Amino acid sequence: QSNPLAALPSAFLSVNITAGDDDAPSKNNGTIHYYKSPLPESILQQCLDLFERNMGEMYKKSEWGLDMEEKRGELLHEDARFLIIILEDDIADNDATDADDNETTTAAVTDPSTDDIIIKSMTSPKTPQQEVIGFAHFRYEPDEDSPSSTPLSPITYLYELQISLTSNGLGKTLMTLIELLSLQLFMTKVILTVFKCNTGAMKFYLDKLKGYDVDECSPSNFEGGDDVEYEILSKRIGRRRV
């Protein structure tokens, strides 16, 4: 199925952004879209910009460092899947005669009676601008940390969950959809990595969401692991296969 969200009611994929303060956008309706790699370039760049705004300083201070070209490569991986929240300018509700809501272009045309070249201005409605306000990057992979005595289990690995506007429930909405898709494809669990210093993210997964805990393969479960900068969290979904 090319778009696994297609079977869901459209209302389930719509998000409303609470407006009313200076930081909230004037646009307040968005839609969740599913993408397979590669992303359209404009969408890809916005995702990279959002990642750098949210996580750039943490990565710079970590032993990993910040490498945006490497991050671009991750997002372009052939197995990458995305849920992206996009807002579009509500141009249809504006007056088409408003110069701010239209684009003016010029073109050279020939006057058939004189063969003179005339420069004409033409006005057309603006193309709606797509604005990314959140995205999840995930992949379906074998669990390489499974015990060697058991077959590799299929898992969903969450590589990124980035939201530009907090306190709107957008992160929880994306995680709910990821878990739903994982159930449909018989994944055994959702796994992700979080910096220990990212206390907001740790609280989000361990307190606000249900079922997430430190995974058995997280470094903190092994000797010397307390000095590692990150935790691996997971949530088991569906039934364990035997």
Side-chain angles (χ1 to χ4, degrees):
Q1 186 177 3
S2 60
N3 182 3
L5 302 181
L8 295 175
S10 59
F12 196 72
L13 303 177
S14 298
V15 294
N16 294 315
I17 309 304
T18 303
D21 57 57
D22 293 338
D23 294 328
S26 58
K27 304 167 286 188
N28 60 6
N29 294 308
T31 306
I32 300 172
H33 298 261
Y34 172 84
Y35 286 91
K36 295 172 63 175
S37 182
L39 290 171
E41 180 60 31
S42 62
I43 300 295
L44 172 63
Q45 189 57 53
Q46 289 188 69
C47 289
L48 288 168
D49 292 343
L50 179 53
F51 165 81
E52 188 170 11
R53 287 197 303 272
N54 286 357
M55 302 298 298
E57 290 305 313
M58 289 187 193
Y59 270 77
K60 288 176 183 177
K61 295 175 182 178
S62 75
E63 62 182 14
W64 296 344
L66 179 65
D67 187 336
M68 292 306 296
E69 283 304 309
E70 181 180 3
K71 183 58 61 176
R72 172 180 281 269
E74 286 182 12
L75 269 60
L76 287 173
H77 192 282
E78 63 180 359
D79 293 332
R81 302 291 183 267
F82 304 89
L83 295 179
I84 300 182
I85 306 174
I86 294 178
L87 295 181
E88 293 187 357
D89 289 319
D90 192 10
I91 294 175
D93 292 337
N94 297 329
D95 187 346
T97 61
D98 189 340
D100 290 337
D101 292 335
N102 295 281
E103 294 177 335
T104 300
T105 57
T106 58
V109 297
T110 302
D111 185 336
S113 62
T114 63
D115 288 334
D116 291 336
I117 296 178
I118 304 172
I119 304 298
K120 284 190 174 183
S121 295
M122 296 176 289
T123 302
S124 58
K126 282 183 180 178
T127 301
Q129 299 299 307
Q130 293 183 318
E131 178 185 350
V132 173
I133 62 165
F135 75 95
H137 163 209
F138 57 100
R139 303 179 199 170
Y140 303 120
E141 302 177 342
D143 186 2
E144 297 180 350
D145 291 308
S146 297
S148 58
S149 59
T150 62
L152 293 180
S153 301
I155 63 167
T156 299
Y157 205 106
L158 178 68
Y159 281 76
E160 297 292 340
L161 178 66
Q162 303 297 336
I163 305 295
S164 65
L165 299 169
T166 58
S167 303
N168 278 281
L170 304 182
K172 188 173 183 179
T173 297
L174 291 182
M175 290 303 297
T176 299
L177 287 172
I178 287 173
E179 291 174 19
L180 177 61
L181 297 179
S182 300
L183 277 169
Q184 291 177 340
L185 293 175
F186 304 104
M187 300 293 114
T188 58
K189 59 183 177 179
V190 176
I191 300 182
L192 55 109
T193 303
V194 184
F195 281 130
K196 292 178 180 177
C197 66
N198 192 351
T199 55
M202 291 290 286
K203 183 177 181 180
F204 171 73
Y205 290 111
L206 297 178
D207 297 341
K208 293 186 177 181
L209 298 183
K210 294 181 179 180
Y212 285 87
D213 204 347
V214 176
D215 192 76
E216 58 190 1
C217 71
S218 189
S220 63
N221 288 322
F222 301 92
E223 184 176 354
D226 290 338
D227 296 329
V228 178
E229 297 175 310
Y230 62 88
E231 290 279 17
I232 297 175
L233 308 181
S234 67
K235 176 180 178 177
R236 186 162 292 280
I237 57 177
R239 296 181 178 179
R240 184 190 297 269
R241 291 185 173 182
V242 294

